[in-house]
């Protein structure tokens, strides 16, 4: 995002404006107004499209996880790599049901890595594709869903958050590169701004971490969820 600057009002200025400024200002004002109007009216992309892109960015990271890395720590202190993968698997499967306005049970986390063995990356890819399909179904983003009866699009954005942020967690834990899918971080910054106070009360997010000047949008998003954007396993 770029900083918005006020356009000087030359009719009330005590001194004449610089000629070059006078020549540019009307066009600059029109350009700014058009850009703002376009941003305000641009339709939000379907959650299914964002989920498809996020899964595409996450899968290469997950496929590179080695068996000897499953016990390694992650930026989520309560999860090692194996537990985080099982958690992400559970989220992808459960939020497919939420797209269909069905109840889900988060009381336990199945060990799908143990169940699927060496085939777990392929099974995760299949589950991700089914998640995208579920959220692309007509009416998936309409109405309310989940135990808290939240707007369906918000719920879809929550699984988008997990796919994006946990992919980063796994990349940091295993030393892999990761670039979030285009458009996802902007959507998630809006979501986190809305839900962060409640999420912190429920211990879903930790307190926001400090970010240095010039931090990327992804680093700011991570910090808002309580993560250290520069976390290392030490």
């Amino acid at each position: 995002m770029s900083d918005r600057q006020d356009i000087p009002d030359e009719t009330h200025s005590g001194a004449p404006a610089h000629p070059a400024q006078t020549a540019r200002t009307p066009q600059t004002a029109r350009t700014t107004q058009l850009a703002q109007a376009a941003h305000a009216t641009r339709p939000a992309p379907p959650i299914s499209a964002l989920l498809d892109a996020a899964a595409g960015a996450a899968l290469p990271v997950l496929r590179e996880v080695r068996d000897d890395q499953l016990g390694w720590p992650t930026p989520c202190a309560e999860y090692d790599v194996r537990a985080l993968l099982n958690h992400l698997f559970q989220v992808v499967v459960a939020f497919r049901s939420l797209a269909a306005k069905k109840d889900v049970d988060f009381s336990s986390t199945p060990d799908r890595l143990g169940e699927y063995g060496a085939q777990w990356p392929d099974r995760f890819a299949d589950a991700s594709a089914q998640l995208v399909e579920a959220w692309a179904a007509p009416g998936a983003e309409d109405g309310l869903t989940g135990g808290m009866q939240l707007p369906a699009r918000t719920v879809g954005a929550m699984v988008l958050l997990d796919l994006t942020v946990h992919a980063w967690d796994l990349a940091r834990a295993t030393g892999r590169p990761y670039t979030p899918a285009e458009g996802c971080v902007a959507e998630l910054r809006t979501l986190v701004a809305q839900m962060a106070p409640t999420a912190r009360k429920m211990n879903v997010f930790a307190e926001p971490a400090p970010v240095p000047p010039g931090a990327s949008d992804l680093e700011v998003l991570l910090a808002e969820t309580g993560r250290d954007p520069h976390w290392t396993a030490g």
Side-chain angles (χ1 to χ4, degrees):
M1 295 182 296
S2 59
D3 295 332
R4 196 181 96 183
Q5 297 181 349
D6 291 334
I7 304 299
D9 183 353
E10 292 135 15
T11 62
H12 294 85
S13 175
H18 189 282
Q21 291 178 326
T22 303
R24 283 200 309 266
T25 297
Q27 181 60 40
T28 301
R30 285 194 294 271
T31 301
T32 300
Q33 291 166 358
L34 288 171
Q36 291 172 343
H39 179 76
T41 59
R42 185 182 303 126
I47 283 294
S48 59
L50 294 173
L51 288 171
D52 191 31
L59 281 168
V61 176
L62 272 63
R63 288 189 181 279
E64 292 295 327
V65 174
R66 304 190 309 265
D67 287 348
D68 65 294
Q69 296 174 322
L70 294 177
W72 290 11
T74 75
C76 297
E78 67 271 31
Y79 294 127
D80 60 15
V81 170
R82 183 190 188 93
L84 186 55
L85 285 167
N86 274 322
H87 167 71
L88 189 54
F89 226 132
Q90 179 191 29
V91 166
V92 167
V93 171
F95 276 73
R96 185 175 68 210
S97 295
L98 289 171
K101 312 297 192 292
K102 296 178 181 178
D103 292 335
V104 296
D105 180 9
F106 286 103
S107 62
S108 62
T109 303
D111 180 15
R112 289 188 167 88
L113 267 68
E115 179 182 353
Y116 299 142
Q119 299 302 313
W120 74 259
D122 291 335
R123 298 297 292 268
F124 186 90
D126 292 343
S128 299
Q130 292 165 2
L131 175 73
V132 171
E133 183 179 357
W135 282 96
E141 291 191 34
D142 300 335
L144 307 175
T145 190
M148 297 178 68
Q149 287 294 283
L150 295 173
R153 183 176 174 92
T154 298
V155 173
M158 289 167 67
V159 67
L160 178 68
L161 179 66
D162 270 28
L163 267 176
T164 301
V165 172
H166 286 327
W168 178 85
D169 290 332
L170 291 163
R172 296 296 290 186
T174 59
R176 305 299 306 176
Y178 171 68
T179 301
E182 184 177 356
C184 290
V185 172
E187 177 83 15
L188 295 173
R189 288 287 306 279
T190 300
L191 171 74
V192 170
Q194 293 171 344
M195 67 181 293
T198 300
R200 292 188 184 109
K201 289 179 182 178
M202 297 174 66
N203 294 321
V204 176
F205 291 169
E207 290 301 310
V211 291
S216 69
D217 286 347
L218 174 61
E219 290 172 332
V220 174
L221 173 67
L222 294 167
E224 288 172 344
T225 67
R227 287 166 169 78
D228 175 4
H230 304 291
W231 183 93
T232 62

